[in-house]
Structure formats: structure tokens, C-alpha cells
Amino acid sequence: MTSIAMPKLLGGGLTPWKRRAVFLAVGLVFLVVMPAALSGFRLALLGKYLCFAIIAIGIDLAWGYGGMLTIGQGLFFGLGGYCMGMLLKLQEAGPGNLPDFMVWSGVETLPGLWKPFASPGFALAGAVVIPMVVAALLGALIFRRRVRGAYFAILMQALCAAFAILLIGQQGITGGTNGLTNVTSFMGYDLNDPVNQRSLYILIAVCLGVVYLLARQIVESRYGRVLMAVRDREDRVRFLGYNPTTIKIIAFAISAGMAGLAGALFVPVVGIISPAMVGIVPSIEMVIWVALGGRGTLIGAVVGALLVNYAKTALSEAYPSGWLYFQGLLFVIVMAFAPKGVAGLWKMYNDRFRSSKTAPAAESLAQPAEVTT
């Protein structure tokens, strides 16, 4: 197989040791500085942003490196979130072991679908494994028929909408439009306690670091190079003896597992999971994070998720009635002046800075040596 050019990551010009040092420095900022500097409310917001960054890494793996425009990650995010929500609601259940919304809906016995999620091990594993299994089955049906591009994106949107409608229509099982609300404890720990809130934030930050390293290991492996080859020339890869369907299914399933993990971490931070968070609009927003950050870079996806959601919060606080216009304007400006996202913008200035440093040296070498007599 011909060699596949690896896209340079943000800071791709750094040596491996410098890259590790940067990673550790950023990790210290998020694990030590942020918990000490931010209030409980702001730290919870940052924890929510980090959950979104985990989703963004998964989208970047599937879209940026695999060419699969996954405008339906809300489906997998919701599956993970509801797995965790069911566990936490059962742990807080009152008499009859029924969650509060089931009592209000007139449900008298716990539905069979809920019973396995009383086990923390099943619920935590299910939050990641169930989205991966669903994605693998969908991928086997879709990619085997060579559905790609806009058709794949539309199909994912349709599945996402169907999932939200299903949740809304099952009031007695899923909580309907309101979803699973009033989550106040996580594995027996009170989520109103500031110490527990900081511990939960650190757990999320560690998970984001692990997911980033896993994704980076994948894209720099031989499998990652084949995945990029499938993105660029799928037919050529097939002629070389590889099975593009299997390669795409693996990336799609890993991406779904990351979204499911983010959903499971999101519920204890925010205290709610509802159909409004898993529908078409949230799924499109997730793709926008990666587009603004710079797809095919991993770190750009993280930066995009953090920047967009911080801007969303800041603009909504400053301009409650007009923040959506500012958010749209921000998207237009970035797409107009930095089509490769923030990561592309950084790389462009980095390249110019290096060329400005090397140009004088090259000119001095080009000057003929002065002859002394």
C-alpha cells in the first residue's frame, strides 16, 4: 500500500518529549488549577464541556479520519446517558423501588427493561457497550451497502429523530418529554457536596485524557493509516485486499462508545437527561464543535467543543435574547476566515513563523563567500 500522509496534530512540529510535556502541563491545569480557581457552579460547567469534548473526539475519529459524517451522535450520547440515568434513579428510588416519575405516571411495578440497570456494573458497562453494539449493527447494515456521504448523514439524522420520538412516547418508562430528572447522588455520594463535585470533575477530566490518548494511539497506528486510506480512496483500499466495511464499522463503534461514555458522565454533572439533549439539533451542534476546532486533528475537536460551549454560555449570560445570533455569527466568521478550524489557523501561523525564522538563514547560506586577498 502506498504511504498515507499523517496529518500533523496541533503542535505536530514538537518532539515526542515536548508533546508529552505539553500534555502533562495541560493536564495539570485541568486537574489542579481549575478545581482550585473555579467556583462549584463554574467547575460543573467546565465538567459538562469536557463531556462534550469526549463526544467531539469520537466524531473526529469517525469523520475527520474515517470520512463518516456522523450527524447522529446524539443517539449514542442518549443511550449512554439513559443507562446511567436509570441506574441513578433506581438508587434514589423510594418505596416499591420505583423512580419518582413512574409513581406520578401511575406505574405500579418496575418495567423489566429497568431491572438489569439496578446493577452498577451492568449499567456502567452498558453505557459504553450498548452504543458500540448498536453502532456496529447499524454500520454493518449501512456500510455493507456502501451508503456514504450525504445519504449516511441523512440516515443518522432520521435514526436520531426516531430515538427522541420513542423516548417522548414512552412516558411511563423513559419519563417522556421531561426525561430522567432530579438526579442528586452518584453511587451514594451527594452531588450537592462541593468535595464530591470536584471529585466528579476530576474523574471526567481523567476520562477525557484517556480517551484522547486512546484516539491518538488509534490514528497513529497501522489501523489509523488504513482508516485514512479508506476515507481518501475506499475503492483502492478494497482492491488492495482490505475490507473497508469492517474498518469503518470499528471506527464508527469506537466513536459511539466515546459518545456513550460522555453521556454517562454528563448525567451526574447536570442531573438530567432528556430527549431534547439527544435529538437532531444537539447532534448538529456536536459536528459544529469539530468543524470549528478543526477536523482530523483530535486536539482541534477538544478545543472546538470547549470554545463553542464556553462562547454559548458567555453570550447567553451577556445577551439573553440575542446570543443565538452571536453564536451564528461566530460560526460564519470562523468558516469564512478559517475553513480548517482553529487548529488549521494555528498551523498556518506556526508554519509562517518557522518560515520567517529559516528564511534569513537560507539567504545567508546563499550569499557567496567573500574572498580575502
Side-chain angles (χ1 to χ4, degrees):
M1 176 182 294
T2 56
S3 61
I4 305 300
M6 281 285 293
K8 286 186 177 181
L9 305 175
L10 202 62
L14 300 178
T15 64
W17 282 107
K18 287 184 178 178
R19 289 167 62 179
R20 292 189 188 101
V22 171
F23 181 81
L24 289 175
V26 174
L28 284 175
V29 169
F30 279 97
L31 291 173
V32 178
V33 177
M34 292 298 182
L38 297 179
S39 65
F41 174 72
R42 295 295 174 187
L43 195 65
L45 276 180
L46 182 57
K48 186 173 75 170
Y49 302 161
L50 297 187
C51 292
F52 292 154
I54 295 175
I55 305 175
I57 290 175
I59 293 176
D60 199 20
L61 180 65
W63 181 34
Y65 291 90
M68 295 168 279
L69 183 54
T70 55
I71 311 183
Q73 289 299 91
L75 168 64
F76 308 120
F77 174 76
L79 286 173
Y82 271 86
C83 286
M84 177 61 79
M86 292 163 78
L87 168 66
L88 299 183
K89 292 301 290 182
L90 285 175
Q91 290 182 341
E92 298 176 359
N97 198 29
L98 289 176
D100 48 9
F101 74 88
M102 288 188 184
V103 177
W104 303 332
S105 302
V107 177
E108 297 180 351
T109 57
L110 188 68
L113 176 66
W114 275 67
K115 291 180 180 177
F117 293 93
S119 166
F122 181 88
L124 294 175
V128 177
V129 173
I130 291 176
M132 293 184 73
V133 171
V134 171
L137 293 175
L138 288 175
L141 293 172
I142 296 171
F143 301 136
R144 197 178 299 278
R145 294 180 179 275
R146 302 186 186 181
V147 177
R148 67 183 81 166
Y151 298 102
F152 173 71
I154 293 171
L155 183 57
M156 290 304 301
Q157 287 273 278
L159 289 171
C160 207
F163 180 58
I165 293 171
L166 177 67
L167 292 173
I168 293 172
Q170 303 297 320
Q171 173 69 36
I173 299 178
T174 63
T177 305
N178 294 328
L180 307 180
T181 61
N182 299 324
V183 174
T184 57
S185 66
F186 177 63
M187 301 298 173
Y189 294 97
D190 185 6
L191 290 174
N192 294 318
D193 187 335
V195 175
N196 295 334
Q197 289 175 351
R198 279 172 167 70
S199 300
L200 179 61
Y201 165 80
I202 290 173
L203 172 65
I204 295 170
V206 170
C207 286
L208 173 60
V210 172
V211 167
Y212 173 77
L213 291 176
L214 174 64
R216 186 174 168 186
Q217 185 66 31
I218 290 173
V219 299
E220 291 183 352
S221 67
R222 182 180 180 186
Y223 166 78
R225 294 177 183 276
V226 177
L227 179 65
M228 285 184 279
V230 170
R231 175 197 64 191
D232 298 335
R233 295 292 181 88
E234 182 172 339
D235 292 334
R236 182 176 294 182
V237 173
R238 183 177 289 105
F239 292 147
L240 290 172
Y242 292 94
N243 186 348
T245 301
T246 304
I247 294 166
K248 292 168 77 174
I249 288 174
I250 292 172
F252 189 43
I254 294 174
S255 171
M258 292 178 180
L261 173 64
L265 295 170
F266 176 86
V267 173
V269 172
V270 180
I272 180 175
I273 183 74
S274 72
M277 300 172 181
V278 304
I280 292 177
V281 174
S283 297
I284 294 175
E285 286 184 358
M286 294 170 187
V287 175
I288 290 175
W289 303 337
V290 181
L292 284 175
R295 71 187 181 109
T297 60
L298 290 183
I299 192 63
V302 175
V303 172
L306 297 179
L307 281 181
V308 172
N309 285 285
Y310 172 74
K312 187 176 179 179
T313 301
L315 291 173
S316 63
E317 290 176 349
Y319 309 99
S321 60
W323 65 274
L324 273 174
Y325 299 105
F326 287 104
Q327 188 178 353
L329 180 63
L330 176 66
F331 177 73
V332 171
I333 290 173
V334 173
M335 286 296 99
F337 296 99
K340 293 184 179 179
V342 176
L345 202 61
W346 171 267
K347 183 176 181 302
M348 182 180 72
Y349 281 108
N350 200 25
D351 291 345
R352 286 186 179 179
F353 178 73
R354 287 183 185 172
S355 60
S356 65
K357 287 179 64 178
T358 54
E363 289 177 359
S364 65
L365 289 175
Q367 293 290 336
E370 186 176 349
V371 179
T372 57
T373 57

